[in-house]
Amino acid sequence: MQTNSFSLLNNSLQEKLKALNINEPTKVQEKVIPQIAAKKNILFQSETGTGKTFAYLLPVVNRIEEEQDSKLRLLIVAPTFELASQINADAKSITQRKTALLIGGSPIKRQIETLKEKPQIICGTAARLVELIRLKKLKIQDLFTCVFDECDRLIKKESFADTEELRSLLPKDTQLIGCSATINNPCKLFFNNVETIVLPNEDVLSKNITHWAIYSEKRDKIDTLRKFIYAAKPAKALIFTSRSDEVENIYTKLKFKKIECIALHAKAEKQLRKAAIDKFRNGKINILITSDLCARGLDITDVSHIIQMDLPNDDDFFIHRSGRTARAGKSGINVVIGDEFEMKHYAQLEKKLGLTVYPKQLHNGMITGPIL
């Protein structure tokens, strides 16, 4: 009798999961693994931090490991270098089969050399993958599966052309998988005639995350942030701002005030971006300042605080930002430092998403407000 979806996996994969201290499938893994193992095309939605990456990696890797050859079988497309890199690391954690990371902004000659090693799993960004296919360096005729991770982001205006072209180049019988925490109508149109699975809301945003609001005029926000960091002493904090140029501004002013932190923004070289994430991930630095472009989809354990220095125009970005904390059943705090206009928007989000937002103040080095 099948007890859970992990029982569909080979013994080696089950042992790898135990070594990672993963003993039971999450709800999305329980629902999706059998569907993917049955080679179905699916589009699935599940909240942030619920285990979507392993939901698609495990059944496809299981299928790859049933074979002895070394053909390219799995292509995973991600909207950012950071997410592609993270997925590649997740794949390496569960299989000895060769993987490769193919992203724009990195030397293409080196990536062409990597392809000569015949990876069976490739993670990358759409534009670079299309480029390598067009150059006939990336041969995809033997693909089992193509995954579009954070698919709602992949089909936004700035990346739609590359994503659509990549899909058009796939072999006819390639299994198509799309996933995100927020699937919209354009996603459903892009994945036409594909079964859509929406996991019931686990209320991670409202049950596992405590939401705070701290009022601040725009000109005082960074000083308010500094006071909050001193008062809260966060174990690990992600600071979000919508504007890439503001990332550097916040970083410079916090460093001037002797607050140890690191900045992550799209204009930085890939190596510097990777170094920033690695330092934050391994705890060498516990404050990371970033924009939505870089941090969406990042799975970093034990982030205690999310601090939003503004509210994004797209409400989905608020969900993805907040979801960087309270991963895998843990709890966390999401703080919005906002002016009068942003506080009105926050109140609307509170109602729309079913949250409870607690107003807070900073006074004499303390965080004060309603008793939780």
Side-chain angles (χ1 to χ4, degrees), residues 80 82-83 86 150 153 238-240 264-266 273 277 288-300 317 320-321 323-324 327:
T80 64
E82 283 77 17
L83 182 55
Q86 179 179 289
E150 298 275 354
R153 174 78 178 276
L238 254 177
I239 299 170
F240 280 98
L264 174 69
H265 50 76
R273 287 162 66 174
I277 289 174
L288 176 65
I289 307 149
T290 186
S291 63
D292 296 297
L293 182 63
C294 293
R296 186 170 174 183
L298 281 183
D299 187 4
I300 297 174
F317 277 84
H320 285 274
R321 284 179 176 187
R324 299 310 102 206
R327 312 283 290 176

Side-chain angles (χ1 to χ4, degrees), residues 234-238 280-283 285-286 300-305:
K236 189 176 278 194
L238 254 177
F280 185 64
R281 194 186 297 277
N282 63 30
I285 290 179
N286 67 354
I300 297 174
T301 58
D302 302 324
V303 173
S304 59
H305 292 72

Side-chain angles (χ1 to χ4, degrees), residues 69-222:
D69 62 37
S70 57
K71 295 174 181 176
L72 174 60
R73 297 301 198 184
L74 173 59
L75 195 63
I76 304 166
V77 195
T80 64
F81 152 72
E82 283 77 17
L83 182 55
S85 180
Q86 179 179 289
I87 297 167
N88 188 54
D90 286 339
K92 285 178 176 292
S93 74
I94 58 170
T95 185
Q96 296 297 313
R97 298 298 177 100
K98 281 191 181 300
T99 73
L101 181 63
L102 305 178
I103 45 121
S106 294
I108 194 167
K109 286 185 179 179
R110 192 178 302 163
Q111 293 178 1
I112 290 170
E113 287 300 310
T114 299
L115 288 172
K116 292 177 182 177
E117 298 172 11
K118 296 185 177 180
Q120 292 188 273
I121 300 168
I122 287 177
C123 306
T125 49
R128 178 51 56 91
L129 294 172
V130 167
E131 183 179 10
L132 287 163
I133 294 168
R134 291 293 189 198
L135 289 169
K136 296 185 170 21
K137 300 299 181 182
L138 175 56
K139 298 178 172 62
I140 58 173
Q141 70 272 12
D142 296 310
L143 272 185
F144 283 161
T145 305
C146 184
V147 178
F148 294 85
D149 200 318
E150 298 275 354
C151 55
D152 58 326
R153 174 78 178 276
L154 285 168
I155 62 169
K156 283 190 178 290
K157 185 178 179 180
E158 64 272 13
S159 50
F160 179 78
D162 293 320
T163 304
E164 186 176 44
E165 184 174 2
L166 177 62
R167 191 185 63 172
S168 74
L169 294 170
L170 296 173
K172 183 181 177 182
D173 295 327
T174 304
Q175 180 185 29
L176 288 179
I177 297 170
C179 67
S180 182
T182 48
I183 287 175
N184 49 26
N185 285 329
C187 270
K188 293 174 184 176
L189 288 171
F190 185 81
F191 290 92
N192 192 25
N193 298 322
V194 169
E195 182 181 353
T196 300
I197 299 172
V198 177
L199 271 293
N201 198 327
E202 296 179 36
D203 294 327
V204 172
L205 275 183
S206 59
K207 290 181 179 176
N208 296 16
I209 301 174
T210 302
H211 298 271
W212 291 355
I214 298 177
Y215 174 80
S216 175
E217 293 288 352
K218 205 170 286 290
R219 64 178 179 273
D220 299 325
K221 279 189 177 187
I222 298 178

Side-chain angles (χ1 to χ4, degrees), residues 2 5 16 19 39 43-44 52 72 80 114 120 208 245 248 266 270 283 286 299:
Q2 181 180 318
S5 61
K16 292 276 175 54
K39 306 176 185 176
L43 172 64
F44 68 95
K52 289 186 289 296
L72 174 60
T80 64
T114 299
Q120 292 188 273
N208 296 16
D245 60 335
E248 193 65 32
K270 296 292 188 294
N286 67 354
D299 187 4

